[in-house]
Amino acid sequence: MVKKVAVIQDLSGLGKCSLTAAIPVISVMGVQACPVPTAILTNQTGYDSYYCDDYTDKIDYFTEEWQKRGLALDGIYTGFLGSETQVEKILNFNEVFRRENTLLFVDPVMGDMGKVFDMYTPALREQMRRLALHADVITPNLTECCLLADADYDVILSHAGEPDYLRHIEAMARPLLKSRVNTVIITGIIHKASEDPAPKYYNLIVTSDGCQSVSSEIHGGSYSGTGDLLASVVCADMVRGNSAYCGVARAVRFLEAALAETASEDVPRNDGINFEPFLSMLLE
């Protein structure tokens, strides 16, 4: 039977992020994406203006109607969340649909480059941390990992020029495994290893068995939806029974090709990545 994943995120008409990134990726990998929209936006919030229709009060309808139908989910995948109430409703959704073999995959979108997003109040940050520590797998960037681990971003970054920089990040992330979390994937770490002629992006996969990394060349700048695409590939791959490392390696190959073309065409960062021509790579 086709595996099913509930994807609980917003839907932006422009910007290629959240549901518009997750649905095609998960679908092409042979997994059914069951969307639960948390909001509908004309375009993602990086643009200078946008209209947003909040769907927080609709989440309970999905929970109730799907429960009536006896829906069995193989995965529950969350991304950007805009309020404490949304987190509470998702925790309730998990109580209803999460079974022993249901993968709870949380991308804890809270900030980047050492900065917390403006709308993240201390209360919302704590709720997001609560959700993340209920998960099986989390995919924070370095800023978000520091927030979840109560670590000082500037202290971690002070080791950036050292050969064992990635070891410092691993040590910071490892205590998160003491909760239910069994895999922490720290994404988009910029690091220059001694054997590299230039800095690369590194993604660390930290588990109780050790730490693995997957690196990629840097193409262009920061594009809307990059983290959503990576998380979606990894989530679908893990629901199919593959390892986190396999999923990250597949995602990196896919993104590296898409980012190279996107950068060559000078696509504005808010418009997102030209990933569509490369979806066939996810079938390999």
Side-chain angles (χ1 to χ4, degrees):
M1 293 179 64
V2 173
K3 303 282 189 180
K4 296 181 178 68
V5 174
V7 187
I8 309 176
Q9 299 186 24
D10 62 273
L11 174 65
S12 294
L14 297 176
K16 297 187 183 180
C17 62
S18 302
L19 283 175
T20 51
I23 291 172
V25 163
I26 293 171
S27 299
V28 81
M29 293 179 69
V31 176
Q32 181 180 344
C34 305
V36 181
T38 57
I40 306 293
L41 295 90
T42 53
N43 41 270
Q44 57 97 348
T45 60
Y47 290 94
D48 57 2
S49 68
Y50 60 91
Y51 170 77
C52 176
D53 187 12
D54 191 310
Y55 264 49
T56 301
D57 61 346
K58 308 297 192 298
I59 296 173
D60 289 341
Y61 291 117
F62 282 83
T63 305
E64 293 164 8
E65 291 298 324
W66 288 2
Q67 187 177 22
K68 288 179 188 176
R69 283 149 185 79
L71 180 65
L73 291 170
D74 302 285
I76 299 169
Y77 164 32
T78 71
F80 174 81
L81 301 174
S83 70
E84 300 158 52
T85 304
Q86 286 185 356
V87 177
E88 284 293 341
K89 290 182 181 296
I90 290 167
L91 288 168
N92 177 62
F93 184 95
N94 290 336
E95 286 290 322
V96 173
F97 293 107
R98 189 180 190 184
R99 296 176 172 84
E100 184 179 353
N101 296 322
T102 304
L103 179 76
L104 178 53
F105 191 104
V106 173
D107 185 11
V109 181
M110 293 187 285
D112 200 7
M113 302 299 290
K115 304 293 184 184
V116 179
F117 296 139
D118 290 341
M119 47 78 62
Y120 264 82
T121 63
L124 178 53
R125 285 165 55 187
E126 186 54 38
Q127 281 288 76
M128 192 63 153
R129 187 174 189 273
R130 180 181 167 206
L131 175 63
L133 295 182
H134 272 77
D136 299 298
V137 181
I138 56 175
T139 57
N141 60 31
L142 183 56
T143 299
E144 293 154 353
C145 195
C146 288
L147 290 168
L148 294 174
D150 291 323
D152 189 312
Y153 177 86
D154 291 330
V155 170
I156 295 295
L157 205 64
S158 70
H159 298 285
E162 300 172 9
D164 60 350
Y165 177 45
L166 299 182
R167 291 293 182 191
H168 284 282
I169 297 173
E170 176 193 351
M172 180 261 293
R174 192 159 292 282
L176 295 173
L177 298 174
K178 293 179 182 178
S179 60
R180 181 163 179 169
V181 178
N182 60 52
T183 305
V184 181
I185 303 170
I186 307 123
T187 63
I189 303 163
I190 299 176
H191 175 57
K192 184 183 180 303
S194 57
E195 66 272 15
D196 292 336
K200 292 183 177 180
Y201 281 126
Y202 281 79
N203 302 277
L204 293 189
I205 303 103
V206 182
T207 69
S208 59
D209 295 327
C211 180
Q212 297 172 290
S213 69
V214 181
S215 64
S216 66
E217 304 294 333
I218 297 175
H219 297 285
S222 172
Y223 291 95
S224 168
T226 305
D228 298 329
L229 289 166
L230 185 145
S232 299
V233 174
V234 179
C235 179
D237 227 11
M238 294 188 74
V239 164
R240 298 192 308 179
N242 294 321
S243 69
Y245 178 83
C246 177
V248 173
R250 189 186 308 276
V252 165
R253 291 195 302 270
F254 165 63
L255 282 170
E256 196 166 27
L259 282 165
E261 176 166 302
T262 302
S264 72
E265 294 185 3
D266 292 324
V267 174
R269 71 160 306 279
N270 284 330
D271 290 354
I273 299 170
N274 288 350
F275 67 87
E276 296 88 346
F278 302 93
L279 285 169
S280 61
M281 293 180 65
L282 300 176
L283 299 173
E284 299 170 4

